[in-house]
Amino acid sequence: MKIYFLLFFSVLIGSQTCLAQEKLTETEKLICTAKIWGFLKYYHPKVANGKYDWDTQLFEILPKIEKAQDKTALSSVFSQWIASLGEISRCNSCGTDSKKEYFTKNFDLNWTQDRNLFSDEVCKKLKDIEENRFQGKQHYVSTINNVGNIQIENEPEYKNFDWNNKNLRILSLFRYWNTIEYFFPYKYQTDQKWDLVLTEMLPKFLHPENKEEYHLCMLELVVKINDSHGFFITPETNDYFGLKWLPADFSIIDDKAIVTKFYNDSLAQKDDLRIGDVITKVDGKPISQILEKNYKYINASNASSKLNNAKYAIFNGSTDTVKIEYIRNGTTESKTVNRYFFKDFKYKFSWGKDKWKILDGNIGYVNMGTVTNKEIPKMMEDLKNTKGTIFDIRNYPNGTLYQIANYINPTKADFYKKIIPDLSYPGKFIWGESGKCGNNRHEKYTGKIIVLVNGQTQSHAEFTTMGFQANKNAMVIGSQTSGADGNISRFELVGGFKTMMSGIGIFYPDGKETQRVGIVPNIEVKPTILGIQKGQDEVLDKAIEVINTKS
């Protein structure tokens, strides 16, 4: 029996020794480094307060990481690094704050205690840092007063950034990944687990073949947060897609691009482009094939907004002309059409001329993209006797929600609640107070209330729609909205390349999500190819039908 026990014990010790001595890949080592570097940046009292130049610390530790061949050697590097930062004092205020209601779906520090990654000594040090984390003013991040979304601070920009510099590419990935890891309120909703994003993107950041490929790596990384606010544009990404446009806008329906309007009428007429043309191929490639190729480079919260944001990825290019295949009047034809720089269109963007009007049948219509706060009293006076009013939010409103709510909501009502990052415990978010709109000071509008939405209804437009929904009789008609709600946080990747994300989490009062889901219409109506060709606004038509239907 003793012999069997000794044999078993020897095998067990041997297997652990093999694990400790198993050679680690560059990616495996850098994944651990990214996590520890980010954790120390926001948690260690002598790092989070700005005592150390944390970028330089990374550059100095990377050669040691490269030399470490196995878990034991790597943990030794980490342990010495942490020790070099100095002793930390006991934190008497780091316990659970019973006054805070935490949202914890984004929070996960279990990796700090993973003995498959780190030695016992490193795990203990990381736990000690968490339990005695920094409680002062963070050096690298702060929150915006009265809102709560983060702003990144004191990060060197590296204006003379050279994409060939491997260390700076690593730094860029580490910075962005940890910003999302600790401060993106919707991290838990990403299609791909954020840990796996790091695993996938590290080799791409380590080994880009050229400058354009590196910029596309940055774009792909940003797209992986699945947030319609997550824009990322550089001269190199523009070169990839091309800066020359067709003089027309499109809707993507059933893998076809339908012409919906023109940026320049005369240039469109020059190539005989017409509203309702159904484009099926571009330079011989089906629309679906082009979308599939560029899908990972198109930022969006959901599939609908992905299509809405994809048009430049389908038709743009660097050449003056492009060949299209299209269907008109049931006949399939092909022709070559011209492309132009967008500035050549001299296009003046507008949400339309009408601010409000009364349609046939005594139905009010409000263009929420054009009406302003000072006009609300006059508008509501003009519309007060209509049998129903359609509030069109297929645009971006001018902050008029609260004024309008005073006329349509009989009492002050909750319409959202939010989460904001807790900088005293990075990765955790705090539920804020519910937001309200409406009051009983004005004569209330008694007609039916219809709200129109579509994929262009984004951010403040979605927030505004939620305010209208506080009136339980309001009805939303249209299609899935963009699914990007919450004040944006702007920041930069290394080299000064700008990006942004949704910075606070917005939910309905009952905790129901809006991010990625968007506003779910009571009645779903999507434009059809035939409707576009006939010049119909099928969503508006449905709203008029609902108002005219006796309830």
Side-chain angles (χ1 to χ4, degrees), residues 103 106 147-150 183-189 227 229 415-421 429-435 463 466 483-489 501-509 511-516:
F103 177 92
N106 292 310
V147 180
N149 55 311
I150 66 156
F183 307 117
F184 182 44
Y186 302 119
K187 185 190 74 172
Y188 73 101
Q189 287 185 302
D227 182 8
H229 281 145
F415 74 100
Y416 79 95
K417 60 192 301 188
K418 69 178 181 179
I419 56 171
I420 59 175
F429 290 75
I430 307 167
W431 283 107
E433 294 183 1
S434 296
F463 185 78
M466 293 171 69
D485 209 348
N487 297 59
I488 59 173
S489 288
M501 67 180 185
S502 300
I504 61 175
I506 298 293
F507 301 78
Y508 283 103
K512 181 181 175 183
E513 295 160 337
T514 60
Q515 182 75 6
R516 302 207 66 188

Side-chain angles (χ1 to χ4, degrees), residues 262-288:
F262 300 129
Y263 295 125
N264 184 293
D265 289 348
S266 61
L267 293 178
Q269 290 171 5
K270 179 180 177 181
D271 285 318
D272 189 29
L273 291 173
R274 301 182 192 177
I275 301 296
D277 281 348
V278 180
I279 300 175
T280 55
K281 292 182 180 180
V282 178
D283 278 338
K285 297 177 182 177
I287 300 295
S288 58

Side-chain angles (χ1 to χ4, degrees), residues 108-231:
D108 183 8
L109 290 180
N110 289 331
W111 62 269
T112 65
Q113 302 305 300
D114 189 344
R115 264 64 179 180
N116 291 319
L117 297 176
F118 310 116
S119 66
D120 287 346
E121 181 182 18
V122 170
C123 289
K124 289 176 182 177
K125 287 183 176 182
L126 295 178
K127 190 64 177 178
D128 187 50
I129 293 169
E130 179 191 354
E131 292 176 346
N132 298 281
R133 61 194 174 275
F134 182 60
Q135 294 296 289
K137 184 182 184 303
Q138 290 268 355
H139 181 69
Y140 295 106
V141 61
S142 65
T143 53
I144 296 175
N145 290 336
N146 302 319
V147 180
N149 55 311
I150 66 156
Q151 51 188 8
I152 300 298
E153 300 175 332
N154 300 312
E155 297 277 27
E157 187 176 313
Y158 302 97
K159 287 187 176 181
N160 297 321
F161 169 77
D162 179 358
W163 76 272
N164 290 293
N165 188 317
K166 180 180 178 181
N167 281 358
L168 288 180
R169 295 198 308 271
I170 291 173
L171 173 64
S172 187
L173 174 60
F174 282 17
R175 272 194 196 172
Y176 185 86
W177 189 87
N178 280 291
T179 298
I180 301 301
E181 171 73 3
Y182 291 106
F183 307 117
F184 182 44
Y186 302 119
K187 185 190 74 172
Y188 73 101
Q189 287 185 302
T190 55
D191 284 341
Q192 189 176 15
K193 288 187 176 181
W194 198 237
D195 280 354
L196 297 181
V197 170
L198 181 60
T199 303
E200 179 186 340
M201 295 307 299
L202 243 174
K204 296 182 179 183
F205 272 74
L206 290 175
H207 308 294
E209 292 187 1
N210 51 53
K211 186 177 183 180
E212 180 181 86
E213 185 174 306
Y214 174 65
H215 281 251
L216 290 175
C217 284
M218 290 191 284
L219 174 58
E220 183 180 357
L221 175 65
V222 172
V223 169
K224 284 183 178 292
I225 68 173
N226 302 121
D227 182 8
S228 295
H229 281 145
F231 285 97

Side-chain angles (χ1 to χ4, degrees), residues 17-28:
T17 302
C18 288
L19 180 63
Q21 294 178 347
E22 185 177 347
K23 188 172 182 179
L24 298 172
T25 66
E26 181 180 32
T27 297
E28 289 170 332

Side-chain angles (χ1 to χ4, degrees), residues 379-493:
M379 179 188 83
M380 294 308 299
E381 177 65 23
D382 290 350
L383 300 176
K384 69 178 183 180
N385 293 320
T386 55
K387 62 184 178 183
T389 294
I390 299 164
F391 293 90
D392 195 341
I393 315 185
R394 296 173 295 178
N395 47 47
Y396 199 85
N398 294 308
T400 51
L401 163 64
Y402 291 99
Q403 275 231 55
I404 294 175
N406 290 339
Y407 290 89
I408 66 171
N409 290 351
T411 59
K412 184 173 285 190
D414 293 338
F415 74 100
Y416 79 95
K417 60 192 301 188
K418 69 178 181 179
I419 56 171
I420 59 175
D422 182 2
L423 299 191
S424 71
Y425 211 147
K428 288 190 176 184
F429 290 75
I430 307 167
W431 283 107
E433 294 183 1
S434 296
K436 302 176 185 292
C437 65
N439 64 37
N440 56 7
R441 287 178 289 178
H442 293 283
E443 180 182 353
K444 296 305 168 188
Y445 179 73
T446 58
K448 292 182 179 179
I449 297 169
I450 306 292
V451 180
L452 307 186
V453 299
N454 65 5
Q456 291 190 90
T457 307
Q458 177 172 313
S459 193
H460 181 64
E462 293 174 292
F463 185 78
T464 300
T465 305
M466 293 171 69
F468 277 94
Q469 289 178 307
N471 183 316
K472 302 305 179 185
N473 295 318
M475 180 176 290
V476 179
I477 296 177
S479 54
Q480 184 181 33
T481 62
S482 179
D485 209 348
N487 297 59
I488 59 173
S489 288
R490 304 175 189 272
F491 56 105
E492 298 178 353
L493 279 76

Side-chain angles (χ1 to χ4, degrees), residues 326-343:
Y326 63 100
I327 302 171
R328 181 187 294 169
N329 298 325
T331 302
T332 300
E333 302 180 43
S334 296
K335 64 180 174 183
T336 298
V337 295
N338 290 286
R339 289 192 288 214
Y340 308 86
F341 292 115
F342 200 88
K343 64 180 178 61

